[in-house]
Amino acid sequence: MKWLPRLARAISSSLITLVPAAVWAQGVPALTVSTGAGGQTYTLTVQVMILMTMLTLLPAIVLGMTAFTRIIVVLSILRQALGMATTPPNQVLISLALFLTLFVMTPTLTQSWTEGVKPYMDGALAAEPALDKAVAPLKKFMLRQTRESDLSSFARIAGQGPIESPESVPLTLLIPSFMTSELKTAFQIGFMIFIPFLVIDLVVASVLMSLGMMMLSPMLISLPFKLMLFVLVDGWTLLMGTLAASFTT
């Protein structure tokens, strides 16, 4: 019967663990939806669940609804044009793209916070109206950057008729159109960045061939000249300023 004291201790510890959980479950219901004058309101448990879901979707939101895509693609093309595969490293490029995205998106995010998130947290707006008001500035930003041809193409693919107004464009149609336009713009900027470095590579390769030094890699010789050119023209400041100014307001 030596196992009886152990069994008693195990049962008592389980009860001590389960009783607060049961009391908590009775005190805070998992789902409570109440309808008032301002609309539907939810319990704190549901709000936390919604918040965790939004945090899970945050990378997709940053990629698909902000300036991040254009910035990171241009920075990647710049690194390729310089001929350095790992410098600057990916962590530096992503950090730079994130903070430049925050700089560009600050007016839009501030408006979204002021008109949607803060009134909801203060209890002045219900969930549905607050969500619409929070998303409206992001839709306005994306519409300014989206080409009409891309929007029309995706509308035709989706089988939708003519769009009556910009406010009536659904996010399922706007987000892919916005990302396609961002990629086009990023490649256009990347082409303009690539040309000077390509000229340096061609000149160095021609000089090495004329000297008969065909076994020497032109990339090894042209890299210092490309770095010197980029530093002399203050390339990082010029590039960051051009990227920030490329987003129409």
Side-chain angles (χ1 to χ4, degrees):
M1 295 295 181
K2 295 181 180 180
W3 52 272
L4 286 177
R6 298 180 181 177
L7 179 61
R9 287 196 298 268
I11 294 174
S12 61
S13 61
S14 300
L15 290 175
I16 293 173
T17 305
L18 293 175
V19 167
V23 173
W24 175 257
Q26 293 177 1
V28 181
L31 174 60
T32 299
V33 181
S34 58
T35 304
Q40 292 182 342
T41 58
Y42 304 91
T43 59
L44 179 61
T45 309
V46 179
Q47 295 177 12
V48 172
M49 182 181 66
I50 294 173
L51 177 61
M52 296 301 295
T53 304
M54 293 299 295
L55 290 177
T56 305
L57 297 175
L58 184 60
I61 294 174
V62 172
L63 287 173
M65 301 177 67
T66 66
F68 181 82
T69 299
R70 182 189 304 186
I71 295 171
I72 193 63
V73 170
V74 171
L75 292 178
S76 301
I77 292 176
L78 171 65
R79 185 171 66 177
Q80 185 70 25
L82 287 172
M84 297 184 295
T86 58
T87 305
N90 291 330
Q91 294 87 345
V92 174
L93 289 185
I94 292 174
S95 299
L96 183 58
L98 282 174
F99 281 104
L100 187 59
T101 301
L102 181 62
F103 173 78
V104 172
M105 299 295 298
T106 294
T108 302
L109 297 178
T110 302
Q111 184 180 359
S112 180
W113 169 269
T114 304
E115 297 180 358
V117 180
K118 191 174 186 300
Y120 174 73
M121 296 180 65
D122 295 339
L125 280 178
E128 289 83 359
L131 181 61
D132 293 338
K133 289 184 177 294
V135 173
L138 290 173
K139 288 184 64 176
K140 186 178 179 181
F141 171 81
M142 289 189 290
L143 283 169
R144 287 197 299 262
Q145 317 303 324
T146 305
R147 293 176 173 83
E148 293 184 3
S149 58
D150 296 330
L151 196 59
S152 301
S153 298
F154 279 95
R156 185 177 65 255
I157 294 171
Q160 297 186 6
I163 300 173
E164 298 178 357
S165 62
E167 292 77 12
S168 62
V169 180
L171 286 177
T172 54
L173 180 63
L174 179 58
I175 292 177
S177 304
F178 169 73
M179 294 191 68
T180 303
S181 295
E182 287 294 281
L183 288 174
K184 288 182 180 179
T185 305
F187 275 65
Q188 290 175 355
I189 298 175
F191 173 77
M192 300 303 297
I193 292 173
F194 220 106
I195 293 299
F197 301 113
L198 180 61
V199 171
I200 293 177
D201 287 334
L202 291 175
V203 171
V204 171
S206 300
V207 172
L208 291 178
M209 288 187 64
S210 63
L211 294 176
M213 304 174 64
M214 292 177 292
M215 299 301 294
L216 184 60
S217 174
M219 296 293 297
L220 184 63
I221 305 301
S222 63
L223 180 59
F225 292 99
K226 290 189 286 187
L227 291 177
M228 182 180 64
L229 173 65
F230 193 68
V231 171
L232 288 178
V233 299
D234 198 9
W236 286 113
T237 303
L238 183 62
L239 180 62
M240 294 298 104
T242 302
L243 279 174
S246 66
F247 293 93
T248 58
T249 56

